[in-house]
Amino acid sequence: MAKKQSRVHLIDTTFRDAQQTLLGGALRGDEIVPIAAKMDAIGFAAMEALGGATFEIQVRRREDPWAYLRKLNKATPNTPIQALIRGQNLVGNRNFADDVVELFIKHLARNGVDVFRFFDPLNDLRNMEAAIGAALKAKKRVQGALSYAISPAHSLELWCSLAKGLVDMGCHDVVIKDTSGLLSPQATWELVSALKQVAKVPIDVHSHCSSGMAPMAYMAAVEAGAEVLDVAMSPLAWGASQPAAESVVAALHGGEYDTGLDLDRMWDVQGDIESLKRQHIEQLSPVADRVDASILRYQMPGATLEDIHRQLDAHGAGNRLDEVLEEVTVTAQKRSERLSDVPLSITATTGDQLAKQGITDATDLERIVPGFAYQKSTYGAPVFAIRGIGVYDTFVGMSPTVTVYVDQVPLPYLVMAQAAGRGSWSER
């Protein structure tokens, strides 16, 4: 008798989202590939192992991400390799020209990526169009992701409209990308049910365990018709990561939603990943490696929470984390603003490039940042010498005499700068 086809498929995120969230991307390619080779026999629908911040991390530590990708592809002939791409931003924090996007996607496809998951942190489908087109041209599977949020503007009608737009662009799957772990079982059931009516493609639910609700949301998702769930191997699961693959397989075993995956094949791999985690225990984030129900108040992605904690600590203001998060929540509610999935930089340039443009202090920022307001210091002197401007450097590096309006960058970074005593902001 032929084996019954599984109704629910699992995508493994251990070597991308999970290790990025919990270990800051500390795992190297030569550590990942041997374990991934063992995981190839498990039967995951795909293995997300590149993209997000991990590409940049590899480049910064002078590890060749292309060589890693080729080795990984060779080691996993039975499991498609998946990459997470930030739409027009690719794997960076600024938009790139269409020809750059197309070439980058083309190279990823040539080097072993089989499945592309695209998202835009503000759900602007225009920022996903070029990337989706490039992946389709390369004849690869394309997933379009909805960056989940809770606000008066984020209605079922909006989500359905966005999902239809992604399908019209050619996406083979629609992903509900819940980076903060805000999906409740009821909200999940309603959203998946609504999407199934308008998007006649598989629905994938991706959530994080930050708030503790993800396992319950996953059960509601499959009951509402979702065909795919994102999971991570248990040593790098839970906390700000995804639910554990072993737990999901066991929970669904024997019923209508059986994944068809063999738990026995997971145990050896589980031990290998646990050993690897212990080798990098110093990189394990104490903020991300836990369930924190207060995230339901802050509605903030785990990666942003960890980044704020790390940077505040570096400036001696780590004890003000709760105060910063409370202020972010209050201000966001006043502005009905959704917190972005990823930091959005004003500019990413070097001091030398700025100097060539005659930009040497805060007064010059008025010429390059729309709406920037500068208040001269008491003595009219330049506030600071620019060494490079980014979201954090711009505001934390400034004197309190510089005013920045909150609509210019994500709120968490502005509040963080204020808490560190290095910047100020006001609404207009």
Side-chain angles (χ1 to χ4, degrees), residues 21-232:
T21 302
L22 298 182
L23 299 176
L27 301 187
R28 301 181 63 87
D30 56 4
E31 295 173 316
I32 292 173
V33 171
I35 300 177
K38 287 187 177 182
M39 292 174 62
D40 188 46
I42 291 176
F44 288 116
M47 185 183 298
E48 186 178 279
L50 186 130
T54 59
F55 191 96
E56 179 183 354
I57 291 169
Q58 287 181 311
V59 171
R60 287 183 180 277
R61 67 185 177 214
R62 302 190 183 280
E63 181 181 0
D64 185 348
W66 303 104
Y68 156 69
L69 180 55
R70 290 190 292 270
K71 291 176 182 176
L72 183 66
N73 184 54
K74 185 177 180 180
T76 57
N78 301 306
T79 308
I81 300 302
Q82 178 174 300
L84 177 72
I85 304 297
R86 298 167 179 161
Q88 204 77 16
N89 285 12
L90 295 176
V91 290
N93 291 317
R94 67 177 180 87
N95 281 5
F96 294 92
D98 286 354
D99 57 348
V100 175
V101 172
E102 292 167 5
L103 186 60
F104 189 78
I105 298 300
K106 181 179 179 180
H107 271 288
L108 285 175
R110 282 182 174 179
N111 282 273
V113 173
D114 304 293
V115 182
F116 287 88
R117 177 176 294 181
F118 297 111
F119 79 101
D120 179 78
L122 299 179
N123 288 312
D124 188 338
L125 300 190
R126 296 170 298 178
N127 285 334
M128 301 166 67
E129 191 171 5
I132 288 173
L136 290 173
K137 186 177 180 180
K139 301 187 184 306
K140 298 298 182 179
R141 190 167 189 87
V142 178
Q143 297 185 328
L146 306 173
S147 296
Y148 183 72
I150 299 174
S151 83
H154 292 87
S155 62
L156 286 178
E157 290 75 18
L158 173 65
W159 295 125
C160 288
S161 175
L162 291 170
K164 188 176 184 303
L166 291 172
V167 174
D168 289 345
M169 286 182 181
C171 291
H172 302 105
D173 309 276
V174 170
V175 181
I176 302 171
K177 186 174 181 290
D178 175 28
T179 54
S180 300
L182 299 178
L183 277 171
S184 68
Q186 182 64 27
T188 304
W189 192 91
E190 292 176 357
L191 181 53
V192 172
S193 297
L195 294 182
K196 294 295 290 183
Q197 295 299 313
V198 298
K200 306 303 181 181
V201 298
I203 303 298
D204 180 335
V205 177
H206 169 102
S207 189
H208 292 242
C209 300
S210 312
S211 69
M213 293 199 297
M216 294 177 281
Y218 274 20
M219 194 66 226
V222 296
E223 289 179 340
E227 292 90 348
V228 187
L229 301 174
D230 285 9
V231 296

Side-chain angles (χ1 to χ4, degrees), residues 81 122 176 179 182 195 235 265 280 291 295 316 358 372 380 387 424:
I81 300 302
L122 299 179
I176 302 171
T179 54
L182 299 178
L195 294 182
R265 293 184 175 182
H280 292 276
V291 170
I295 281 180
F372 184 87
R387 294 185 300 276
S424 63

Side-chain angles (χ1 to χ4, degrees), residues 308-327:
I308 290 174
H309 177 268
R310 176 175 55 81
Q311 295 198 43
L312 279 175
D313 192 56
H315 285 266
N319 62 326
R320 303 191 68 182
L321 178 63
D322 290 341
E323 183 182 347
V324 167
L325 296 178
E326 184 67 32
E327 184 66 20

